[in-house]
Amino acid sequence: MSATLLLKNADLVLTMDAERREIPNAGVFIAGNEIRAVGPSQDLPQTADETIDLTGHIVMPGLINTHHHMFQSLTRAVPAAQDASLFGWLKALYPIWSRLTPQMIRVSTQTAMAEMLLSGATTTSDHLYLYPNGSRLDDSIDGAREIGMRFHAARGSMSIGESAGGLPPDYLVEKEPDILKDAQRLIETHHDPARHSMLRLVMAPCSPFSVSEGLMRDSAALARAYGVSLHTHLAENLDDVRYSLTKFGKTPAHYAEDLGWTGPDVWHAHCVRLDREGIALFARTRTGIAHCPCSNMRLGSGIAPIARMRRAGVPIGLGVDGSASNDGASLLGEARQAMLLQRVRYGPAAMTARAALELATRGGADVLNRDDIGHLAPGMAADLAVFDLNHVAFAGGHHDLAAALVFCAPVPAAYTIVNGRVVVREGELTTLDLAYLVERHNRLATELVEG
């Protein structure tokens, strides 16, 4: 890592700061892992240990992914799960996932992170909720450290199998005391609450249809005792809502509220079917939502009322979701899809391109309960994404460079900088041998699916 890094002469720096400044012919000066200055190139320090001339590029905050299941990158486009809704999709894949190994967890984590880094993402959460054959969350954590991505590692869990009225097969669930013990170990071993932290732990029971109410309460208590965040799936589709009403006699929002799963330290994935009362609750309590538009479309779950939620004041970020229900991991792609879906539901004024970019940056930081990422300003973590405006996808779109990032087709990042370290340079990953990683990943994917 260079002690100082100067990015200069960018056609536009999209700060996403409090004033939402968009600065032409500008740059960013970085010292160590922190931004020291943002502004017109002529106003920045003119010398640094490394200088990158970004003429013909746009600079923005690193994109933030708030929901993923990285192990699922081993099971993209599996035929049996291609045309199913959520519950059928899960039942088709559970038997395959039961063959996961520690090596598969580590390699799939790095593959998923490589894909995101190459598309301009700098921070990601991952929700790992099954641990067959000796797999541990540590396998993901080790992979993240090597590749160099800022990571919120969510200790997921499933404790209610089919025999007890849950959805997952009994052979994939864990005993609740074991779940809590391992979560405590992980927090004590790995969680870093410091500003600019590269690794934070999250408590994340999987879903209302795979864990008990007791585990939800105990997880919330443990998380708050250690000051870590909480994450789960909620109200993803109509089947999910029906399960909650039948099993618990409550809407998903009331279920969350009764179990202590609201507040600024909590975010829920999807919430496609959150009702008006639930939206008001989440706004009042500052409970976050990870919006996953591509996955919601892929599984036919519906269109989340994001425009209505934003007007109400609900914190919202974007998630690519697992690669078995999206089959891709581009945050710019999710921002574009989020904008387009809201327009389908509410009309062309429902979401602007800049609002979609806000979901992918400041919104994600808010959902992850962080104030040190998501916009470019002195004192913020040095996380940036840089895109080449000479890419054919932007041809003819230079009339509004910021909007072109969303309206035009998603493009790969020219540079991705995480914590002051250039991890993508001129479109190439710098921290791992990508060709070797992909070869290993494909070999392991074949082994997993074919058994």
Side-chain angles (χ1 to χ4, degrees), residues 162-178:
E162 286 180 297
S163 65
L167 190 73
D170 290 351
Y171 56 77
L172 273 179
V173 303
E174 300 175 90
K175 296 178 180 178
E176 294 184 356
D178 295 340

PDB file of all heavy atoms in Angstrom, residues 162-178:
ATOM      1  N   GLU A 162     -37.266 -29.895   8.805  1.00  0.00           N
ATOM      2  CA  GLU A 162     -38.587 -30.310   8.321  1.00  0.00           C
ATOM      3  C   GLU A 162     -39.402 -31.036   9.381  1.00  0.00           C
ATOM      4  O   GLU A 162     -40.616 -30.831   9.489  1.00  0.00           O
ATOM      5  CB  GLU A 162     -38.413 -31.225   7.110  1.00  0.00           C
ATOM      6  CG  GLU A 162     -38.004 -30.508   5.837  1.00  0.00           C
ATOM      7  CD  GLU A 162     -37.842 -31.462   4.671  1.00  0.00           C
ATOM      8  OE1 GLU A 162     -36.962 -32.353   4.744  1.00  0.00           O
ATOM      9  OE2 GLU A 162     -38.602 -31.327   3.696  1.00  0.00           O
ATOM     10  N   SER A 163     -38.769 -31.870  10.167  1.00  0.00           N
ATOM     11  CA  SER A 163     -39.506 -32.660  11.163  1.00  0.00           C
ATOM     12  C   SER A 163     -40.139 -31.795  12.241  1.00  0.00           C
ATOM     13  O   SER A 163     -41.085 -32.216  12.917  1.00  0.00           O
ATOM     14  CB  SER A 163     -38.575 -33.696  11.808  1.00  0.00           C
ATOM     15  OG  SER A 163     -37.552 -33.058  12.551  1.00  0.00           O
ATOM     16  N   ALA A 164     -39.619 -30.560  12.396  1.00  0.00           N
ATOM     17  CA  ALA A 164     -40.160 -29.637  13.400  1.00  0.00           C
ATOM     18  C   ALA A 164     -40.976 -28.522  12.762  1.00  0.00           C
ATOM     19  O   ALA A 164     -41.304 -27.531  13.419  1.00  0.00           O
ATOM     20  CB  ALA A 164     -39.014 -29.049  14.226  1.00  0.00           C
ATOM     21  N   GLY A 165     -41.313 -28.682  11.478  1.00  0.00           N
ATOM     22  CA  GLY A 165     -42.145 -27.699  10.805  1.00  0.00           C
ATOM     23  C   GLY A 165     -41.394 -26.636  10.039  1.00  0.00           C
ATOM     24  O   GLY A 165     -42.006 -25.694   9.515  1.00  0.00           O
ATOM     25  N   GLY A 166     -40.063 -26.768   9.942  1.00  0.00           N
ATOM     26  CA  GLY A 166     -39.277 -25.806   9.181  1.00  0.00           C
ATOM     27  C   GLY A 166     -39.124 -26.236   7.736  1.00  0.00           C
ATOM     28  O   GLY A 166     -39.585 -27.305   7.328  1.00  0.00           O
ATOM     29  N   LEU A 167     -38.438 -25.426   6.955  1.00  0.00           N
ATOM     30  CA  LEU A 167     -38.255 -25.744   5.543  1.00  0.00           C
ATOM     31  C   LEU A 167     -37.010 -26.591   5.262  1.00  0.00           C
ATOM     32  O   LEU A 167     -37.067 -27.508   4.447  1.00  0.00           O
ATOM     33  CB  LEU A 167     -38.199 -24.451   4.717  1.00  0.00           C
ATOM     34  CG  LEU A 167     -38.260 -24.662   3.206  1.00  0.00           C
ATOM     35  CD1 LEU A 167     -39.672 -25.067   2.768  1.00  0.00           C
ATOM     36  CD2 LEU A 167     -37.829 -23.395   2.468  1.00  0.00           C
ATOM     37  N   PRO A 168     -35.868 -26.311   5.900  1.00  0.00           N
ATOM     38  CA  PRO A 168     -34.660 -27.063   5.531  1.00  0.00           C
ATOM     39  C   PRO A 168     -34.705 -28.505   6.012  1.00  0.00           C
ATOM     40  O   PRO A 168     -35.398 -28.835   6.993  1.00  0.00           O
ATOM     41  CB  PRO A 168     -33.537 -26.291   6.228  1.00  0.00           C
ATOM     42  CG  PRO A 168     -34.188 -25.583   7.356  1.00  0.00           C
ATOM     43  CD  PRO A 168     -35.581 -25.262   6.902  1.00  0.00           C
ATOM     44  N   PRO A 169     -33.980 -29.389   5.346  1.00  0.00           N
ATOM     45  CA  PRO A 169     -33.899 -30.773   5.813  1.00  0.00           C
ATOM     46  C   PRO A 169     -33.179 -30.849   7.157  1.00  0.00           C
ATOM     47  O   PRO A 169     -32.314 -30.026   7.466  1.00  0.00           O
ATOM     48  CB  PRO A 169     -33.101 -31.474   4.711  1.00  0.00           C
ATOM     49  CG  PRO A 169     -32.336 -30.393   4.026  1.00  0.00           C
ATOM     50  CD  PRO A 169     -33.176 -29.162   4.120  1.00  0.00           C
ATOM     51  N   ASP A 170     -33.540 -31.836   7.940  1.00  0.00           N
ATOM     52  CA  ASP A 170     -32.976 -31.957   9.287  1.00  0.00           C
ATOM     53  C   ASP A 170     -31.454 -32.071   9.276  1.00  0.00           C
ATOM     54  O   ASP A 170     -30.782 -31.611  10.207  1.00  0.00           O
ATOM     55  CB  ASP A 170     -33.568 -33.187   9.999  1.00  0.00           C
ATOM     56  CG  ASP A 170     -35.038 -32.995  10.358  1.00  0.00           C
ATOM     57  OD1 ASP A 170     -35.549 -31.862  10.213  1.00  0.00           O
ATOM     58  OD2 ASP A 170     -35.676 -33.984  10.772  1.00  0.00           O
ATOM     59  N   TYR A 171     -30.887 -32.656   8.220  1.00  0.00           N
ATOM     60  CA  TYR A 171     -29.438 -32.865   8.206  1.00  0.00           C
ATOM     61  C   TYR A 171     -28.644 -31.573   7.985  1.00  0.00           C
ATOM     62  O   TYR A 171     -27.421 -31.574   8.078  1.00  0.00           O
ATOM     63  CB  TYR A 171     -29.046 -33.917   7.164  1.00  0.00           C
ATOM     64  CG  TYR A 171     -29.510 -33.647   5.741  1.00  0.00           C
ATOM     65  CD1 TYR A 171     -28.867 -32.710   4.924  1.00  0.00           C
ATOM     66  CD2 TYR A 171     -30.590 -34.336   5.207  1.00  0.00           C
ATOM     67  CE1 TYR A 171     -29.294 -32.462   3.629  1.00  0.00           C
ATOM     68  CE2 TYR A 171     -31.025 -34.106   3.902  1.00  0.00           C
ATOM     69  CZ  TYR A 171     -30.374 -33.172   3.121  1.00  0.00           C
ATOM     70  OH  TYR A 171     -30.804 -32.938   1.844  1.00  0.00           O
ATOM     71  N   LEU A 172     -29.339 -30.457   7.733  1.00  0.00           N
ATOM     72  CA  LEU A 172     -28.621 -29.190   7.550  1.00  0.00           C
ATOM     73  C   LEU A 172     -28.792 -28.218   8.711  1.00  0.00           C
ATOM     74  O   LEU A 172     -28.237 -27.128   8.672  1.00  0.00           O
ATOM     75  CB  LEU A 172     -29.081 -28.509   6.260  1.00  0.00           C
ATOM     76  CG  LEU A 172     -28.351 -28.916   4.971  1.00  0.00           C
ATOM     77  CD1 LEU A 172     -28.936 -28.177   3.772  1.00  0.00           C
ATOM     78  CD2 LEU A 172     -26.857 -28.663   5.074  1.00  0.00           C
ATOM     79  N   VAL A 173     -29.555 -28.601   9.723  1.00  0.00           N
ATOM     80  CA  VAL A 173     -29.757 -27.673  10.836  1.00  0.00           C
ATOM     81  C   VAL A 173     -28.763 -27.967  11.961  1.00  0.00           C
ATOM     82  O   VAL A 173     -28.172 -29.047  12.037  1.00  0.00           O
ATOM     83  CB  VAL A 173     -31.200 -27.720  11.370  1.00  0.00           C
ATOM     84  CG1 VAL A 173     -32.189 -27.416  10.255  1.00  0.00           C
ATOM     85  CG2 VAL A 173     -31.517 -29.062  12.015  1.00  0.00           C
ATOM     86  N   GLU A 174     -28.580 -26.964  12.828  1.00  0.00           N
ATOM     87  CA  GLU A 174     -27.664 -27.070  13.963  1.00  0.00           C
ATOM     88  C   GLU A 174     -28.446 -26.969  15.273  1.00  0.00           C
ATOM     89  O   GLU A 174     -29.572 -26.451  15.302  1.00  0.00           O
ATOM     90  CB  GLU A 174     -26.634 -25.939  13.931  1.00  0.00           C
ATOM     91  CG  GLU A 174     -25.741 -25.885  12.705  1.00  0.00           C
ATOM     92  CD  GLU A 174     -24.864 -24.650  12.750  1.00  0.00           C
ATOM     93  OE1 GLU A 174     -23.748 -24.727  13.305  1.00  0.00           O
ATOM     94  OE2 GLU A 174     -25.305 -23.592  12.245  1.00  0.00           O
ATOM     95  N   LYS A 175     -27.833 -27.387  16.350  1.00  0.00           N
ATOM     96  CA  LYS A 175     -28.423 -27.202  17.673  1.00  0.00           C
ATOM     97  C   LYS A 175     -28.194 -25.755  18.117  1.00  0.00           C
ATOM     98  O   LYS A 175     -27.116 -25.196  17.930  1.00  0.00           O
ATOM     99  CB  LYS A 175     -27.788 -28.170  18.667  1.00  0.00           C
ATOM    100  CG  LYS A 175     -28.064 -29.634  18.351  1.00  0.00           C
ATOM    101  CD  LYS A 175     -27.365 -30.554  19.342  1.00  0.00           C
ATOM    102  CE  LYS A 175     -27.646 -32.014  19.024  1.00  0.00           C
ATOM    103  NZ  LYS A 175     -26.937 -32.941  19.963  1.00  0.00           N
ATOM    104  N   GLU A 176     -29.219 -25.175  18.722  1.00  0.00           N
ATOM    105  CA  GLU A 176     -29.147 -23.755  19.046  1.00  0.00           C
ATOM    106  C   GLU A 176     -28.035 -23.401  20.031  1.00  0.00           C
ATOM    107  O   GLU A 176     -27.363 -22.375  19.842  1.00  0.00           O
ATOM    108  CB  GLU A 176     -30.518 -23.272  19.521  1.00  0.00           C
ATOM    109  CG  GLU A 176     -31.537 -23.340  18.375  1.00  0.00           C
ATOM    110  CD  GLU A 176     -32.901 -22.790  18.700  1.00  0.00           C
ATOM    111  OE1 GLU A 176     -33.127 -22.388  19.876  1.00  0.00           O
ATOM    112  OE2 GLU A 176     -33.760 -22.758  17.790  1.00  0.00           O
ATOM    113  N   PRO A 177     -27.763 -24.188  21.079  1.00  0.00           N
ATOM    114  CA  PRO A 177     -26.623 -23.847  21.946  1.00  0.00           C
ATOM    115  C   PRO A 177     -25.300 -23.827  21.187  1.00  0.00           C
ATOM    116  O   PRO A 177     -24.432 -22.986  21.456  1.00  0.00           O
ATOM    117  CB  PRO A 177     -26.649 -24.953  23.006  1.00  0.00           C
ATOM    118  CG  PRO A 177     -28.065 -25.411  23.044  1.00  0.00           C
ATOM    119  CD  PRO A 177     -28.537 -25.335  21.630  1.00  0.00           C
ATOM    120  N   ASP A 178     -25.145 -24.724  20.215  1.00  0.00           N
ATOM    121  CA  ASP A 178     -23.915 -24.756  19.412  1.00  0.00           C
ATOM    122  C   ASP A 178     -23.799 -23.508  18.541  1.00  0.00           C
ATOM    123  O   ASP A 178     -22.705 -22.952  18.364  1.00  0.00           O
ATOM    124  CB  ASP A 178     -23.882 -26.007  18.534  1.00  0.00           C
ATOM    125  CG  ASP A 178     -23.803 -27.297  19.326  1.00  0.00           C
ATOM    126  OD1 ASP A 178     -23.396 -27.243  20.513  1.00  0.00           O
ATOM    127  OD2 ASP A 178     -24.145 -28.361  18.776  1.00  0.00           O
TER     128      ASP A 178
END
